Amino acid sequence: MEYTGTGGATSVGHGLSAAPEWMLFKDKGNSTNWRVYHTSMGGITKYMLLNSSAAVATASMWGSPTASAFIIGGTGYEVNESGNNYIAYCWHGVDGFSKFGIYTGNGNTNGPFVYTGFKPAWIMFKQTNSTADWFIMDSGRGKINTQVYRLKANT
């Protein structure tokens, strides 16, 4: 979804059939951060940066998304500067296709089992309470050992 910043609180239609659970925002014309919203981070004032390894931070840049729109706040925070052009990618879970959530690590080499209801072809994850990379793993590369072929969104 593309939109133009207004500098004031507004809603932008996202075209989904349900409220987004995960959203990425980027100012198309400037070297700014990719702002990340996820419903599991602890409220609408929480965000992360896709191009950073930083932990969850706090700011009032958006409101709770609805089934028809996402809400962006006033000027600042790289999501709503007046006249700037933005791109927003929005997703919600679809049974058997996509799943968004949170899990707690257990310190085990194999990690905890996270039930999705299907076999994921693409997974993205990041530790939220500490500095850590954004890891992306997929089933399309490294048919023998997918652990070898990781991508890091922030690097």
Side-chain angles (χ1 to χ4, degrees):
M1 162 60 52
E2 293 185 51
Y3 66 96
T4 301
T6 64
T10 190
S11 64
V12 178
H14 51 61
L16 300 176
S17 60
E21 297 171 73
W22 184 39
M23 300 185 290
L24 305 175
F25 295 85
K26 177 70 174 90
D27 184 328
K28 292 173 52 181
N30 293 293
S31 285
T32 57
N33 292 302
W34 283 83
R35 298 287 174 150
V36 179
Y37 166 87
H38 193 285
T39 56
S40 298
M41 286 193 290
I44 59 170
T45 62
K46 303 298 183 183
Y47 74 94
M48 288 192 294
L49 302 174
L50 185 63
N51 55 302
S52 169
S53 62
V56 171
T58 303
S60 298
M61 69 186 82
W62 43 55
S64 295
T66 69
S68 60
F70 57 83
I71 315 303
I72 47 178
T75 192
Y77 304 115
E78 303 169 329
V79 297
N80 194 22
E81 300 294 332
S82 182
N84 288 11
N85 294 315
Y86 295 89
I87 186 97
Y89 297 99
C90 305
W91 295 270
H92 68 81
V94 175
D95 288 343
F97 179 75
S98 59
K99 182 81 170 174
F100 303 92
I102 191 169
Y103 70 92
T104 301
N106 61 10
N108 185 300
T109 301
N110 293 326
F113 175 76
V114 179
Y115 181 75
T116 62
F118 59 95
K119 184 177 180 179
W122 187 89
I123 299 171
M124 182 176 202
F125 58 96
K126 182 192 180 318
Q127 184 175 346
T128 59
N129 63 346
S130 181
T131 300
D133 291 320
W134 289 84
F135 287 101
I136 301 170
M137 300 168 74
D138 65 82
S139 62
R141 298 169 300 128
K143 298 293 185 180
I144 295 171
N145 184 357
T146 58
Q147 295 294 324
V148 175
Y149 299 102
R150 290 185 285 212
L151 297 173
K152 296 179 181 179
N154 55 293
T155 62

